[in-house]
Amino acid sequence: MALTYIRSLRNVNLHKEFIRIGGCRTFAVGKKKGGKGGAAGDAPKASKISKEVKASTVVGANILKDGVDPKVLPDSEYPDWLWHLLDKRPALSELRRKDLESLPYDDLKRFVKLDTRARIKENNSVRAKN
């Protein structure tokens, strides 16, 4: 649809003045509230949510129109893998230095993935140069 519209515009002959005026981009300017300086209006607004509610609920996690924010549960209620999501994982250079026979399964799987990705990138760069 958009492609046919662009093709139809190619055939139209327009004057340079009209194109210059039509292509001019403008932005709406609102009235400033208050006197000199805008620092007071730019300050972040204080939250209307009490500290007790912030500590017991996950504010902003609700994705449903009629839903409520979920409650924070004790740590024992969450799965163990959740606490390891932000752990540092070894880079490809570190994995190459280690003995592949002694690597745990997760590290070996990561090594294969990263090594394959690096070889693909290298092959693509060689092909692009030729």
Side-chain angles (χ1 to χ4, degrees):
M1 171 87 182
L3 189 58
T4 58
Y5 179 71
I6 292 171
R7 286 181 184 158
S8 66
L9 286 179
R10 261 191 229 156
N11 298 331
V12 177
N13 292 328
L14 299 173
H15 295 288
K16 290 182 181 179
E17 293 85 20
F18 180 72
I19 293 173
R20 197 174 309 135
I21 293 171
C24 181
R25 184 172 185 163
T26 60
F27 297 97
V29 179
K31 294 182 180 180
K32 287 187 178 180
K33 294 180 181 178
K36 294 182 180 178
D42 294 340
K45 297 181 179 169
S47 178
K48 295 181 183 180
I49 301 172
S50 67
K51 290 183 181 179
E52 294 82 25
V53 172
K54 284 183 182 178
S56 64
T57 61
V58 182
V59 179
N62 178 31
I63 59 170
L64 303 174
K65 189 173 185 178
D66 296 329
V68 295
D69 289 330
K71 300 286 182 194
V72 175
L73 301 174
D75 290 350
S76 62
E77 295 292 321
Y78 294 104
D80 292 332
W81 57 263
L82 181 67
W83 308 113
H84 301 290
L85 285 177
L86 298 178
D87 291 348
K88 295 281 185 183
R89 297 170 68 187
L92 179 60
S93 59
E94 292 177 33
L95 291 173
R96 281 185 175 157
R97 280 184 250 141
K98 294 182 181 178
D99 181 29
L100 293 179
E101 300 295 328
S102 63
L103 281 178
Y105 177 73
D106 291 337
D107 288 345
L108 185 62
K109 191 167 77 169
R110 179 171 169 78
F111 171 75
V112 170
K113 181 179 88 169
L114 294 176
D115 187 52
T116 304
R117 184 182 298 165
R119 281 189 288 117
I120 289 171
K121 284 184 178 182
E122 184 179 335
N123 288 339
N124 288 342
S125 66
V126 168
R127 286 182 186 169
K129 289 178 184 178
N130 292 335

